Amino acid sequence: MPIYAYRCDACGVAKEHLQKMSDAPIAACPECGSADYRKQLTAAGFQLKGSGWYATDFKNSSSPAPSGGGHSCGTGGCGSCN
């Protein structure tokens, strides 16, 4: 479940809440009860880099390669290794 940041415009309190994506936004400030409690826009907590899922798993060359030829299919014969 994602963590959402909220801030109250009335009292200035800032909190994070663990909520489902389908949950409605929290309407009242837990500190002062004001309806000025707003969900904040924040950056994502992850980054996708490189050309595949294994771009960050084995960063340095001294790390052992994954078994099965270093490919996610385990055989290297799926066509995307060529």
Side-chain angles (χ1 to χ4, degrees):
M1 281 194 291
I3 298 173
Y4 293 102
Y6 283 80
R7 181 169 174 82
C8 180
D9 293 333
C11 68
V13 71
K15 291 192 174 210
E16 293 180 340
H17 298 276
L18 184 66
Q19 292 181 288
K20 292 180 183 177
M21 292 178 73
S22 60
D23 287 348
I26 299 171
C29 175
E31 296 293 320
C32 69
S34 171
D36 292 333
Y37 203 51
R38 309 271 184 242
K39 190 185 290 188
Q40 300 294 297
L41 181 63
T42 57
F46 70 94
Q47 295 178 352
L48 298 175
K49 293 182 178 179
S51 61
W53 293 107
Y54 295 101
T56 58
D57 288 352
F58 303 99
K59 280 193 170 198
N60 50 16
S61 60
S62 63
S63 295
S67 61
H71 193 267
S72 62
C73 70
T75 64
C78 68
S80 61
C81 296
N82 301 332

